Amino acid sequence: MRLFTAVYPSAEASAHLDLALGGVGGAAVADPGAGLRWVPKEQRHVTLAFHGEVPDGAAPGFVADLRAELAQARPFDLVLAGGGSFGGRTLWVGVGEGLEGLRALSAAAERAASAAGFRADDRAGGRPHLTVARAFVPRGRDRVDRGGSRRPRGRDDVSPLVAWARALAVYRGPAWRVDAVHVVASRLGEGRSGGPLHEDLAVLPLG
């Protein structure tokens, strides 16, 4: 199974983000059309560590070790703030407060994964974020710039995610208390609109 560990926003924080996305994406939120997929609300999360393909038999030991690690962790407040786009293909909201807490949880997941014998790619050490949409943006014909020269048309020229990312740059959501970590199995192509299906293997409390 494909495994990752993550924290999930509160209902209040998720509802607040919905309002912002509605203002940014407009009609495309309800009717995205071809080539655009919004992440279902129940799947929005901030990844702590991505573990990739993990043998089913290794998961219980990892969960037990992570539970012991998290018993030493304190709950903390997290705030979503700002936004961006990765290459016009992914729209995300960033983290404004709670970075140190996220990185401590990511380190705990890494230690537990190492004990279980599998990988833990750190997703909180660089730019932790919550993905809200993905787009398929084909490259079109070359475009002519103001100087009359031709240059390849890139993803940033045609993807709506780039403009939406600029609008989300000033976003700031409400704080919520992070008091648990989710260990999640991801099954590609089995979810809504051909996306992944996420299933909690465990929800582990902090402290």
Side-chain angles (χ1 to χ4, degrees), residues 1 3-8 48 51 59-68 70 179-187 198-206:
M1 72 180 85
L3 207 65
F4 65 88
T5 50
V7 299
Y8 282 73
L48 299 170
H51 307 292
F62 167 69
V63 169
D65 287 342
L66 183 56
R67 187 187 302 275
L70 297 179
D179 57 10
V181 167
H182 294 241
V183 180
V184 185
S186 176
R187 294 176 172 81
H198 291 173
E199 294 181 338
D200 279 335
L201 293 186
V203 180
L204 308 177
L206 306 189

Side-chain angles (χ1 to χ4, degrees), residues 42-62:
E42 67 274 10
Q43 291 190 1
R44 295 176 191 158
H45 62 272
V46 179
T47 304
L48 299 170
F50 178 72
H51 307 292
E53 292 291 337
V54 172
D56 291 0
F62 167 69

Side-chain angles (χ1 to χ4, degrees), residues 110-206:
E110 183 177 3
R111 290 191 295 270
S114 178
F118 55 79
R119 64 191 262 207
D121 295 342
D122 181 4
R123 297 296 173 89
R127 183 184 289 170
H129 61 277
L130 182 151
T131 298
V132 292
R134 293 184 174 88
F136 171 74
V137 185
R139 289 193 176 276
R141 294 175 294 179
D142 292 354
R143 74 173 187 174
V144 179
D145 63 21
R146 290 182 180 179
S149 60
R150 289 186 173 274
R151 66 182 181 87
R153 185 182 295 272
R155 298 187 186 103
D156 287 0
D157 300 321
V158 294
S159 173
L161 301 188
V162 177
W164 295 346
R166 295 191 189 104
L168 285 173
V170 296
Y171 175 74
R172 185 176 179 84
W176 83 89
R177 196 73 166 164
V178 175
D179 57 10
V181 167
H182 294 241
V183 180
V184 185
S186 176
R187 294 176 172 81
L188 300 181
E190 296 184 21
R192 190 186 310 177
S193 302
L197 176 66
H198 291 173
E199 294 181 338
D200 279 335
L201 293 186
V203 180
L204 308 177
L206 306 189

Side-chain angles (χ1 to χ4, degrees), residues 11-39:
E12 179 188 10
S14 191
H16 191 279
L17 180 57
D18 275 342
L19 291 175
L21 295 177
V24 168
V29 175
D31 184 15
L36 177 63
R37 184 174 65 84
W38 295 91
V39 175

